[in-house]
């Protein structure tokens, strides 16, 4: 194999590896479903394969009292609509393949973020 062919093969292999690495890191999602339900409500909102970046609003008008995490990642649910923690509003850690329920007479969850 000539020198030019070898350099071309190495360059091509490097470009292929770079494209593969870029594709793997872009668009990461939760892989699975997060289900939210309001207190004493039959309505369930499900978020499937959402982005691991940013804050996500739950989308129930009165917020969620129940969460079921059937994803491959852990999440934190917040009582504020924009994943904010304050002195009175904290986040609740919900590990993968688990669930959580708000305590009676507490504010519902309104948003979540992914732990990654």
């Amino acid at each position: 194999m000539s020198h030019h062919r070898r350099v071309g093969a190495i360059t091509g292999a490097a470009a292929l590896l770079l494209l593969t690495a870029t594709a793997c890191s872009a668009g990461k999602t939760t892989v699975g479903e997060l289900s939210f339900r309001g207190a004493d409500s039959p309505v369930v909102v499900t978020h499937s394969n959402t982005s691991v970046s940013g804050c996500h609003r739950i989308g129930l008008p009165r917020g969620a009292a129940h969460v079921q995490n059937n994803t491959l990642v852990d999440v934190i649910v917040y009582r504020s609509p924009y994943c904010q923690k304050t002195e009175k509003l904290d986040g609740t850690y919900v590990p993968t393949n688990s669930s959580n329920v708000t305590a009676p007479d507490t504010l519902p969850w309104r948003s979540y973020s992914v732990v990654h």
Side-chain angles (χ1 to χ4, degrees):
M1 185 182 269
S2 73
H3 176 67
H4 290 297
R5 284 187 182 169
R6 219 174 312 171
V7 170
I10 291 170
T11 303
L16 183 61
L17 286 172
L18 179 60
L19 285 173
T20 303
T22 303
C24 288
S25 65
K28 289 185 179 180
T29 64
T30 55
V31 184
E33 292 183 343
L34 282 162
S35 300
F36 301 96
R37 184 171 56 84
D40 301 323
S41 172
V43 177
V44 175
V45 172
T46 302
H47 294 231
S48 298
N49 304 321
T50 55
S51 171
V52 298
S53 300
C55 179
H56 307 277
R57 297 201 53 182
I58 292 173
L60 288 169
R62 294 185 179 172
H66 306 267
V67 61
Q68 179 71 41
N69 182 2
N70 290 318
T71 69
L72 299 178
V73 294
D74 301 342
V75 297
I76 299 174
V77 288
Y78 301 90
R79 299 183 193 284
S80 68
Y82 302 104
C83 300
Q84 298 164 327
K85 289 185 188 181
T86 66
E87 188 175 307
K88 295 180 182 180
L89 302 174
D90 59 344
T92 302
Y93 191 88
V94 184
T96 184
N97 296 315
S98 67
S99 61
N100 203 321
V101 179
T102 60
D105 301 323
T106 61
L107 293 172
W109 294 308
R110 303 226 177 247
S111 61
Y112 70 94
S113 63
V114 177
V115 178
H116 63 99

